[in-house]
Amino acid sequence: MTKSTRRSVSSAAADRVVTRLVRFQVEVPSWGFADTGTRFGKFAQDAAAIDLPDKLADAGCVQRFTGITPTVAVHVLWDFPDGFDPAVVKLARSHGVRIGAINPNLFQDQCYKFGSVCNADPAIRRRAVRHMLESVEIGRQTKSRHLSLWFADGANYPGQADVRRRKRWATTALQKVHAAMPRAMTMLVEYKPFEPATYFTDFFDWGSSYIFARSAGAGAKVLVDTGHHLPGCNVEQIVAWLIDEKMLGGFHFNDRKYADDDLTVGSIDPYQAFRIFNEIAAWEHETGKDLDIAYMIDQSHAVKPKVQAMIQTACRVQSLLAKALCVDREALAAAQKREDTVAAEETLRAAFYADVSPILCAVRKSLGVPADPLAAFRESGYEQRIAKDRIAKRKALGMDQGASYA
Ligand code: RM4
Ligand code: MN
Ligand code: MN
């Protein structure tokens, strides 16, 4: 290591980072607590959440140990299979959390075989819009700030579908939904270049989401799911552009090795996640403001225990942001100005390798949570207790754990 990579963070800088991190929050997904797997099957866990009350209890637990996850994203079809019950607002509150982003499900019904908002059949497009309007209504009742849209729409073979017509159908659908949203709600438009469609997806990259969001209305922004890019894609550059265009709506954090692997953040490439946070920290340094976007986790844990994985991720996101906030911006700007590539890169690396544990300790002290949330959780006995409860609950319900995806 060079001298600069060994440099520790000055105490004034550390105080500034602590102050910023105390305000940082990240949303957990309800589906991250349930049994999930791959399309080849799933391995059931005794402690996995069975229903929304279980998921809210687990989310409340993650919040108690981390202090930075006060909201839970919900997936309408998986979480409200019998319709929305406003009592969930209170139930969430009793666990110390709130309902966050509302995710309509526009991919599971048989009728969506050839798409939802891009389907050639107007009746199916209307059905998709109706479901999104219902989701807006749920969001109004839960006071959610985000309607989070992901479409599996696409085609599997060349010649199968009319690309331009599909683009226009989707545009009209998003405009209708946008018009029904309360002012305080932001529509997040997610993209993904592959899966389940194999030839093309209609919402295929940040440019397509940008165009859809632009034509939907001022309350629509782009959602970057970090796992939804082709190999080698420079995700932080996309993030920088979207920030500059005021079109970044938020993130679905996860890590990947091959495709949309939904692994815990930073498990494969923490430097990639750091570089994304670096763009955010750079903008915040320049403007003196917090970037007002939705920080959300979107991962599913086929083999890791659910609550542990979520605590691990929340803490890792927090520590990577801490490192990005430690970048010496003056030194970086000076190095860039004199075209000193080595010094510029070393400035970034110094922050990435900086020991931020004292900073995280101070943040957690001020949030009133354990200094090491994961270790404290593992000692708490929560997992063993819910495993016991849920084995009994499944038995009482006559449930076969292999049933649904989430
Ligand atoms: C998709 C996408 C969506 C998520 C579903 C379950 O790949 O990431 O955000 O809701 O998976
Ligand atoms: Mn996602
Ligand atoms: Mn995904």
Side-chain angles (χ1 to χ4, degrees):
M1 274 195 194
T2 65
K3 204 169 151 220
S4 63
T5 53
R6 277 198 306 269
R7 199 170 42 206
S8 62
V9 184
S10 76
S11 76
D15 289 349
R16 182 181 46 76
V17 176
V18 171
T19 312
R20 172 63 185 99
L21 282 179
V22 167
R23 296 192 301 269
F24 177 75
Q25 299 178 334
V26 61
E27 183 161 302
V28 297
S30 68
W31 55 98
F33 296 108
D35 270 329
T36 47
T38 71
R39 64 203 158 103
F40 296 111
K42 63 187 182 189
F43 297 100
Q45 296 183 20
D46 290 340
I50 298 168
D51 48 23
L52 186 60
D54 287 353
K55 295 171 188 172
L56 294 176
D58 290 354
C61 176
V62 175
Q63 165 66 355
R64 275 197 306 285
F65 281 91
T66 65
I68 61 166
T69 59
T71 57
V72 193
V74 288
H75 229 294
V76 172
L77 207 69
W78 299 337
D79 292 328
F80 310 121
D82 308 316
F84 174 69
D85 176 359
V88 299
V89 173
K90 266 201 188 145
L91 183 63
R93 205 179 306 138
S94 74
H95 290 296
V97 289
R98 298 187 310 277
I99 303 293
I102 309 291
N103 291 249
N105 187 310
L106 298 151
F107 49 90
Q108 225 170 311
D109 269 313
Q110 290 299 315
C111 72
Y112 296 140
K113 181 172 177 181
F114 296 113
S116 61
V117 289
C118 300
N119 199 300
D121 181 344
I124 293 170
R125 297 204 298 276
R126 275 198 300 276
R127 179 169 166 165
V129 168
R130 211 179 318 126
H131 178 57
M132 285 189 279
L133 294 177
E134 283 158 14
S135 301
V136 168
E137 205 34 56
I138 293 175
R140 205 189 295 272
Q141 293 185 53
T142 53
K143 298 197 170 58
S144 295
R145 287 185 61 204
H146 301 102
L147 177 76
S148 196
L149 304 178
W150 174 66
F151 301 93
D153 291 48
N156 284 16
Y157 293 96
Q160 183 189 326
D162 183 326
V163 177
R164 275 182 293 123
R165 214 168 261 161
R166 291 172 71 92
K167 170 175 174 278
R168 293 200 297 264
W169 288 328
T171 301
T172 310
L174 294 193
Q175 285 168 345
K176 281 187 191 146
V177 177
H178 188 281
M181 286 191 331
R183 257 179 191 283
M185 191 178 275
T186 300
M187 174 188 282
L188 301 173
V189 186
E190 189 171 351
Y191 57 91
K192 180 174 179 177
F194 52 82
E195 203 201 22
T198 48
Y199 173 56
F200 72 73
T201 53
D202 292 284
F203 295 70
F204 57 99
D205 71 1
W206 71 276
S208 60
S209 279
Y210 183 104
I211 290 167
F212 279 128
R214 264 281 146 88
S215 36
K221 300 266 161 20
V222 179
L223 173 61
V224 176
D225 181 312
T226 49
H228 289 191
H229 299 91
L230 296 171
C233 178
N234 189 332
V235 183
E236 62 270 27
Q237 185 179 20
I238 295 173
V239 170
W241 272 60
L242 288 173
I243 292 175
D244 203 51
E245 290 288 322
K246 300 188 175 49
M247 285 299 281
L248 180 65
F251 289 100
H252 269 178
F253 289 117
N254 50 55
D255 208 344
R256 68 188 292 251
K257 174 93 177 102
Y258 299 105
D260 187 20
D261 305 332
D262 283 335
L263 303 175
T264 47
V265 177
S267 54
I268 301 291
D269 188 355
Y271 196 46
Q272 157 76 89
F274 165 82
R275 296 193 307 268
I276 290 173
F277 281 119
N278 175 49
E279 292 303 331
I280 295 166
W283 183 88
E284 293 196 348
H285 176 83
E286 221 173 281
T287 60
K289 289 191 265 188
D290 289 359
L291 188 63
D292 183 21
I293 58 167
Y295 294 98
M296 301 176 286
I297 295 166
D298 180 10
Q299 42 186 52
S300 65
H301 324 290
V303 293
K304 281 185 179 176
K306 316 289 172 184
V307 179
Q308 287 192 48
M310 208 61 84
I311 292 176
Q312 197 183 27
T313 283
C315 292
R316 197 162 298 153
V317 165
Q318 188 184 36
S319 92
L320 289 166
L321 173 59
K323 287 168 183 282
L325 290 165
C326 287
V327 171
D328 184 338
R329 301 280 155 203
E330 277 68 41
L332 184 62
Q336 288 176 352
K337 195 164 174 206
R338 53 174 202 275
E339 294 291 6
D340 188 341
T341 308
V342 171
E345 188 195 351
E346 287 299 320
T347 305
L348 282 194
R349 287 169 55 83
F352 179 66
Y353 287 106
D355 178 11
V356 290
S357 50
I359 290 177
L360 295 176
C361 270
V363 171
R364 289 174 186 150
K365 196 167 172 201
S366 128
L367 293 171
V369 298
D372 185 342
L374 186 57
F377 172 78
R378 284 166 70 102
E379 280 162 23
S380 71
Y382 180 89
E383 199 172 293
Q384 292 73 6
R385 187 165 52 73
I386 58 165
K388 232 173 106 206
D389 291 353
R390 292 173 190 176
I391 289 172
K393 185 166 164 182
R394 273 186 208 97
K395 219 167 150 194
L397 291 169
M399 266 182 75
D400 149 24
Q401 219 168 344
S404 89
Y405 178 71

